[in-house]
Amino acid sequence: PLSRSLRSRRYDVNSNMKVLQADSTYAAIPNLLSPEYCITVGLTLYKVQHSIYLLDFQKSSGDSFSFMTLCANIISELKTLSAANKLQQQQQQLAAQEAYAKQQAAMQQQGAPAPPS
């Protein structure tokens, strides 16, 4: 599942990272691994065309870097799932074609006329 794979990745972003603010002071880096740290996001899914969807990400709270990292991870997971789904569909189509070809061959051996395709 998506949530398990995102939680299993550990990032040590606090080791050497500093954020320079507009007033030339450094901002505190939140500890992303602490239980108190939270990013609140909103996701809206739109159907654009048949089998084509648009996922809109909106950050409600939390820092932008973590939000962008989370979005990138979600997009990567969705691409992986999409590729696996396409492969599964191709395999199912191939299996159906092979079954149809076997059926046609068996019918020809029995002398029955082949149904129109």
Side-chain angles (χ1 to χ4, degrees):
L2 179 63
S3 60
R4 185 179 69 214
S5 64
L6 291 177
R7 272 190 245 134
S8 66
R9 296 184 181 134
R10 299 271 181 205
Y11 301 101
D12 188 11
V13 296
N14 295 324
S15 59
N16 295 317
M17 196 164 99
K18 295 180 181 179
V19 176
L20 185 61
Q21 299 184 87
D23 63 356
S24 298
T25 60
Y26 289 103
I29 304 298
N31 182 359
L32 305 182
L33 301 177
S34 71
E36 299 84 31
Y37 185 75
C38 179
I39 300 172
T40 306
V41 298
L43 299 175
T44 307
L45 184 64
Y46 299 97
K47 185 171 185 176
V48 180
Q49 294 177 6
H50 177 71
S51 299
I52 299 177
Y53 296 88
L54 171 71
L55 185 59
D56 181 29
F57 296 85
Q58 296 176 345
K59 178 176 72 82
S60 299
S61 69
D63 68 285
S64 297
F65 178 77
S66 299
F67 171 72
M68 295 302 291
T69 302
L70 176 65
C71 292
N73 288 340
I74 291 172
I75 290 168
S76 295
E77 292 288 334
L78 290 173
K79 283 183 179 181
T80 301
L81 292 172
S82 177
N85 188 35
K86 284 180 184 177
L87 179 61
Q88 183 181 19
Q89 286 178 351
Q90 289 173 349
Q91 290 172 344
Q92 288 174 348
Q93 286 177 344
L94 181 60
Q97 290 171 351
E98 288 174 354
Y100 181 75
K102 285 181 183 178
Q103 180 186 22
Q104 294 299 316
M107 291 178 77
Q108 286 178 355
Q109 286 179 351
Q110 294 175 356
S117 48

